[in-house]
Amino acid sequence: NASLAGILQHPDGTVLKQLQPPPRGPREQEFYNKVYDSDCCDSILLELREYLPKYFGVWSPPTAPNDTYLKLEDVTRKFNKPCIMDVKIGQKSYDPYASAEKIQQQVSKYPLMEEIGFLVLGMRVYHVSSDSYETQNQHYGRSLTKETVKDGISKFFHSGYCLRKDVVAASIQKVEKILEWFEGQTQLNFYASSLLFVYEGSCQATTVRLSDVTLAEKRRVPKGLLSGGDVLEYNNNIHVINSTENGKIEASVGKGLSKFYALHKKACSKRHHSQLSLKVENSEQDNVWKTSTCITQEHLNGNVLPQLEKVFYRMPAETKESANVEVRMIDFAHVFPSNTKDEGYIYGLKNLITVLQNILDN
């Protein structure tokens, strides 16, 4: 998220987060290296990957080889109008090695941390009515008390028209999964670490589904799909082969489908009768599309959209039902080895779930 300090959005779908000065930066880098080590066979760390942004190592600009950046998945990228909230979790936002001065500084920033167990660091909410974003900075979160925290957080789920209960429900499910992970591990304790919530702010499902198509349109036309910018003149199958290393199959599917749809419309308007088949092939690790999908239409009779809908909706049910919400753990400059459960973080998660549940119920 470009609005967070020191984070650059890269066109390749990653973000670059500048390493903080020692010991924090190296500690965060070490954490990512440990969790994403290709030799890692610890089931707890392997499961933890599901709740983190993907990590692609470190990067330095050629011009400044001493500046180091963590290269991370941009969790907001698949959204058309991403609504983003950053919530710091835990009862203490200072680590066990903090000086008295640092403890004092952290506690005075938000004295209610111990009692509430989390703190809203910022949010950015898309309002459909005004087609604009409302943002709140860290002062907003620090102004929240035990009495107002529920309303304070519900602001994030409000589109200007309505409360997005679908998003609240999906968020609860995702936070519960993270809580389960914490209940089952005693090797890491997290201080001053955050959960990043992201959901789709634009109102129509079509916008969500087609957001990748729109992105794809701007990039390039796959070779051989359009003959001279006109109608498709040949009858052989169109193969759009998508296998990307990071499981970004949806974007490439969108790319193929958007062209496919454009051709269909043209062909329909010219009463062009041909057999069109779009084959989407995916590599083993991409589980978004379980099977290769083939649409074949003997006659193009203008009945295209229903066909496309079928393709879009042939995603696994759980993808649809999660209301297009991401909840990821971020910020690991204060993660330490431990031999106990992370009670402070667990307390924060449980209280956050309670608040979200209250928003949903009322």
Side-chain angles (χ1 to χ4, degrees):
N1 165 21
S3 72
L4 298 175
I7 295 216
L8 306 170
Q9 275 175 312
H10 192 288
D12 70 1
T14 62
V15 289
L16 297 169
K17 176 181 180 179
Q18 186 156 20
L19 221 57
Q20 295 168 283
R24 292 173 301 161
R27 203 187 288 131
E28 183 164 36
Q29 183 182 348
E30 196 185 327
F31 170 80
Y32 275 112
N33 284 338
K34 181 183 163 90
V35 175
Y36 283 94
D37 185 344
S38 53
D39 298 330
C40 175
C41 53
D42 178 338
S43 61
I44 283 169
L45 297 184
L46 292 174
E47 192 196 330
L48 179 59
R49 291 179 186 180
E50 293 174 40
Y51 312 121
L52 269 46
K54 290 196 185 83
Y55 171 62
F56 305 101
V58 290
W59 176 86
S60 295
T63 50
N66 294 331
D67 287 356
T68 307
Y69 292 81
L70 299 169
K71 199 166 164 62
L72 301 164
E73 169 190 10
D74 179 359
V75 181
T76 68
R77 188 180 192 231
K78 67 175 184 182
F79 296 95
N80 183 22
K81 299 285 184 191
C83 298
I84 303 161
M85 176 170 65
D86 182 341
V87 184
K88 191 193 279 194
I89 308 286
Q91 290 178 285
K92 297 181 167 73
S93 52
Y94 52 89
D95 67 48
Y97 303 93
S99 64
E101 190 184 0
K102 178 71 178 173
I103 294 173
Q104 180 51 45
Q105 179 217 3
Q106 284 300 318
V107 171
S108 63
K109 269 189 186 173
Y110 193 58
L112 294 169
M113 198 75 189
E114 191 88 33
E115 189 186 4
I116 296 178
F118 61 83
L119 166 64
V120 176
L121 292 180
M123 66 172 75
R124 178 171 178 254
V125 188
Y126 177 72
H127 283 179
V128 183
S129 38
S130 57
D131 184 28
S132 62
Y133 283 98
E134 182 185 351
T135 58
Q136 301 293 347
N137 64 17
Q138 54 188 328
H139 300 293
Y140 174 79
R142 286 192 219 148
S143 74
L144 300 176
T145 64
K146 213 175 171 186
E147 290 69 44
T148 59
V149 71
K150 180 189 146 212
D151 290 340
I153 281 195
S154 70
K155 196 190 246 301
F156 174 62
F157 299 102
H158 215 284
S159 68
Y161 280 135
C162 66
L163 179 67
R164 290 287 304 275
K165 291 201 165 189
D166 59 324
V167 177
V168 182
S171 300
I172 292 170
Q173 286 186 329
K174 301 223 162 178
V175 178
E176 280 175 341
K177 289 285 292 173
I178 293 170
L179 175 59
E180 276 175 40
W181 182 85
F182 271 90
E183 293 281 18
Q185 70 90 19
T186 55
Q187 55 174 290
L188 292 171
N189 282 7
F190 295 73
Y191 302 91
S193 184
S194 283
L195 287 184
L196 190 71
F197 290 77
V198 190
Y199 73 89
E200 181 54 69
S202 54
C203 55
Q204 289 144 318
T206 49
T207 331
V208 179
R209 277 206 321 273
L210 297 172
S211 57
D212 276 332
V213 174
T214 336
L215 272 174
E217 299 288 30
K218 291 175 190 158
R219 290 201 197 108
R220 62 186 176 82
V221 178
K223 284 193 192 69
L225 281 190
L226 290 176
S227 56
D230 200 358
V231 156
L232 193 74
E233 295 295 350
Y234 45 84
N235 283 349
N236 52 330
N237 292 353
I238 303 172
H239 281 274
V240 183
I241 295 163
N242 308 306
S243 42
T244 57
E245 47 178 337
N246 313 336
K248 274 256 182 262
I249 192 98
E250 291 152 289
S252 15
V253 168
K255 208 175 288 179
L257 286 177
S258 62
K259 292 293 163 244
F260 178 62
Y261 182 41
L263 292 173
H264 250 325
K265 278 209 302 208
K266 277 191 177 171
C268 290
S269 65
K270 295 214 180 170
R271 294 282 178 271
H272 203 77
H273 291 282
S274 66
Q275 187 186 58
L276 274 186
S277 147
L278 170 80
K279 201 162 188 182
V280 178
E281 296 170 15
N282 59 339
S283 55
E284 288 301 306
Q285 74 266 38
D286 291 321
N287 60 356
V288 179
W289 288 60
K290 294 284 192 284
T291 54
S292 72
T293 313
C294 207
I295 322 164
T296 315
Q297 255 181 299
E298 292 298 337
H299 298 285
L300 300 174
N301 51 9
N303 187 19
V304 181
L305 214 47
Q307 291 286 331
L308 279 179
E309 296 283 342
K310 272 183 217 154
V311 179
F312 275 117
Y313 281 123
R314 199 179 290 188
M315 286 192 163
E318 69 271 17
T319 317
K320 258 188 302 180
E321 267 139 46
S322 67
N324 216 0
V325 180
E326 288 287 352
V327 179
R328 303 288 184 94
M329 296 168 61
I330 58 168
D331 293 342
F332 305 111
H334 303 273
V335 179
F336 294 89
S338 160
N339 49 20
T340 60
K341 275 201 219 180
D342 191 340
E343 297 298 353
Y345 199 107
I346 289 172
Y347 175 92
L349 288 179
K350 285 182 173 172
N351 203 29
L352 181 56
I353 290 168
T354 303
V355 170
L356 292 171
Q357 196 63 56
N358 286 340
I359 293 171
L360 193 58
D361 295 342
N362 302 342

